[in-house]
Amino acid sequence: MLYGKHILVIISGGVAAYKAIELIRLIQKAGGTVQAILTKSATEFVSPLTISTLCGRPALTALFDLTRETEIGHIELSRSADLIVIAPGTANILAKLANGIADDLATTCLLATDTPIMAAPAMNVRMWEAASTRRNLALLANDGVQFVGPDEGEMACGEFGPGRLAEPPVILEAIVAHFERANRPKPLAGKHAIVTSGPTREPIDPVRFLSNASSGKQGVAIAEALAALGARVSFVTGPAQYRQPRGCAVIDVETAIEMDRAVEAALPADIAVFCAAVSDWRVETPADDKIKKDADETAPTLTLVANPDILRRVSSLAGGNRPRLVVGFAAETSNLLENAKAKLKRKGCDWLLANDVSPASGTFGGANNTVTLLAGEAVEAWEPMDKQAVAQKLATRIAESFQRDRRI
């Protein structure tokens, strides 16, 4: 799978650094060769001797190695590799990469390279959720850095949440996929796509909210399919349970208003795919404290107001502010085609993918989907398929429409 490929693995200083040992072995078993760089902090978790033995070549740690630097070692290292993989990618090294800081061998190589970079983040959940980390990740994604993970689970510090390093087999899978994508045509190169995904959460009080069962799987698949065809993807997601897409700029939101603002900030775009299951209503005035039961257990009255209609607003933008192709989704539980046709006309989008999300369909949270594509007066029923296949078919149709320089 990786025969003839040379991977530069940068190991930064987190407790997950020990997993780099397994990753190196997996790369080698797949036919690749590995050169490793350890940051100073990484050497506190794994031994350079262990890494050197595995790689069959010295693991590097020092920027000012006179033998190597007489040959401009950091330049040679950064450009001889076919891919640079940062695993684990701590908040510190990602912040340095995002802001162009080069104060050791690892970060100097990263700044000097024109080789693709893949990062597998690993950090405490609070660090992962910090506003500065989110900004840095968005900058890196816009710079073309690919991401694998992180996973969600229990941390070494005892906390639980997103921030765990993706498992080495998953990172290997992403490395292999990178080289497979590199050999594919890129018909959407130079295009910017916005994809919305997942549910939104509308607060009732500090512990309750209005939401739905969307997993975000279909949105992730669409984002990755568009990225695989060369598009730069801004992925705006509500609090979904499914993993985030690789190779995309991820913008996390909670409410419909936050999603609307995030989409507005991501414009202009060539393509907009609105796959998110946005709550139609929100509580007009959420309670500041948890709502308590009355003595007679009378249910509280909630006053609901309409949320922004993001799909309709973007579809109605004028001139160059409107994406050339706007695609909506219609999640229906009955009268699928009738409701979808009405929604297409009402929203003003170019295409609409209608799908049955009734409990019997298993679409929400499931692996499969059955959609019908509406484009103008044309109606095209797609056979049942998994969500990855739906995404690939949609991305291919989008690419074809741009190549023909007209909408279907």
Side-chain angles (χ1 to χ4, degrees):
M1 295 183 290
L2 296 178
Y3 292 102
K5 302 301 181 184
H6 181 57
I7 315 297
L8 176 61
V9 175
I10 294 178
I11 307 170
S12 63
V15 69
Y18 75 92
K19 292 187 178 181
I21 295 172
E22 182 184 356
L23 176 61
I24 291 169
R25 291 174 63 89
L26 290 173
I27 292 171
Q28 292 172 325
K29 287 179 68 175
T33 60
V34 179
Q35 171 66 66
I37 294 176
L38 287 78
T39 66
K40 182 179 179 181
S41 297
T43 63
E44 300 292 331
F45 295 94
V46 291
S47 162
L49 178 60
T50 299
I51 301 298
S52 298
T53 303
L54 282 173
C55 294
R57 63 190 74 200
L60 306 174
T61 58
L63 175 60
F64 298 108
D65 181 319
L66 294 180
T67 302
R68 293 196 62 85
E69 285 310 304
T70 56
E71 303 169 357
I72 318 297
H74 64 280
I75 301 294
E76 184 274 331
L77 278 171
S78 67
R79 299 183 186 175
S80 62
D82 297 296
L83 178 67
I84 298 176
V85 178
I86 310 171
T90 61
N92 181 58
I93 196 168
L94 295 179
K96 289 180 178 179
L97 177 57
N99 293 282
I101 297 172
D103 59 0
D104 61 6
L105 179 59
T107 52
T108 301
C109 283
L110 289 168
L111 191 61
T113 194
D114 55 5
T115 297
I117 298 171
M118 179 180 293
M123 63 196 74
N124 171 270
V125 61
R126 302 298 174 219
M127 291 182 175
W128 173 252
E129 293 174 345
S132 57
T133 301
R134 311 313 297 173
R135 288 195 300 271
N136 290 333
L137 293 169
L139 285 171
L140 292 173
N142 283 328
D143 289 343
V145 174
Q146 304 171 58
F147 290 99
V148 188
D151 290 343
E152 183 172 306
E154 187 175 358
M155 308 285 180
C157 60
E159 294 193 54
F160 186 94
R164 283 170 56 96
L165 180 70
E167 292 302 317
V170 175
I171 301 174
L172 176 70
E173 179 184 332
I175 293 170
V176 172
H178 162 79
F179 289 111
E180 290 177 347
R181 288 195 302 269
N183 294 327
R184 296 174 188 164
K186 297 291 188 293
L188 294 178
K191 306 298 182 186
H192 177 211
I194 298 172
V195 177
T196 68
S197 181
T200 60
R201 287 180 179 173
E202 310 301 329
I204 297 172
D205 62 22
V207 298
R208 302 181 179 94
F209 52 82
L210 302 175
S211 191
N212 57 69
S214 174
S215 67
K217 287 182 180 179
Q218 187 65 82
V220 167
I222 291 170
E224 291 186 337
L226 291 171
L229 295 182
R232 177 173 66 86
V233 179
S234 296
F235 184 75
V236 183
T237 178
Q241 299 174 353
Y242 198 56
R243 64 173 176 80
Q244 295 182 335
R246 304 181 182 102
C248 303
V250 178
I251 303 100
D252 290 304
V253 299
E254 286 275 339
T255 68
I257 290 177
E258 290 176 357
M259 182 169 284
D260 188 41
R261 290 171 179 166
V263 169
E264 178 67 25
L267 290 169
D270 303 284
I271 304 155
V273 181
F274 293 96
C275 189
V278 181
S279 296
D280 292 319
W281 303 281
R282 69 182 185 276
V283 176
E284 185 175 32
T285 307
D288 292 330
D289 297 310
K290 180 183 176 183
I291 300 172
K292 300 290 187 180
K293 284 184 180 180
D294 292 332
D296 60 0
E297 297 191 355
T298 301
T301 299
L302 301 178
T303 301
L304 302 181
V305 295
N307 266 324
D309 191 330
I310 306 172
L311 173 58
R312 186 175 182 179
R313 181 183 67 77
V314 173
S315 296
S316 64
L317 291 174
N321 293 322
R322 185 191 192 277
R324 180 181 149 197
L325 182 62
V326 180
V327 182
F329 272 71
E332 304 291 346
T333 58
S334 62
N335 301 321
L336 179 70
L337 200 54
E338 178 184 344
N339 288 334
K341 287 181 177 179
K343 183 172 182 178
L344 177 64
K345 183 177 181 180
R346 185 172 68 253
K347 301 292 187 179
C349 53
D350 302 301
W351 299 354
L352 191 77
L353 277 80
N355 57 342
D356 180 0
V357 296
S358 60
S361 71
T363 297
F364 265 170
N368 298 320
N369 205 349
T370 303
V371 303
T372 299
L373 172 65
L374 289 78
E377 296 299 320
V379 177
E380 180 182 321
W382 293 359
E383 67 276 10
M385 61 185 82
D386 65 49
K387 292 180 178 179
Q388 297 287 341
V390 170
Q392 290 167 9
K393 186 167 184 174
L394 175 61
T396 299
R397 295 295 289 274
I398 290 172
E400 289 172 350
S401 74
F402 275 82
Q403 289 174 323
R404 290 196 302 267
D405 197 30
R406 63 179 178 86
R407 300 187 181 103
I408 292 177

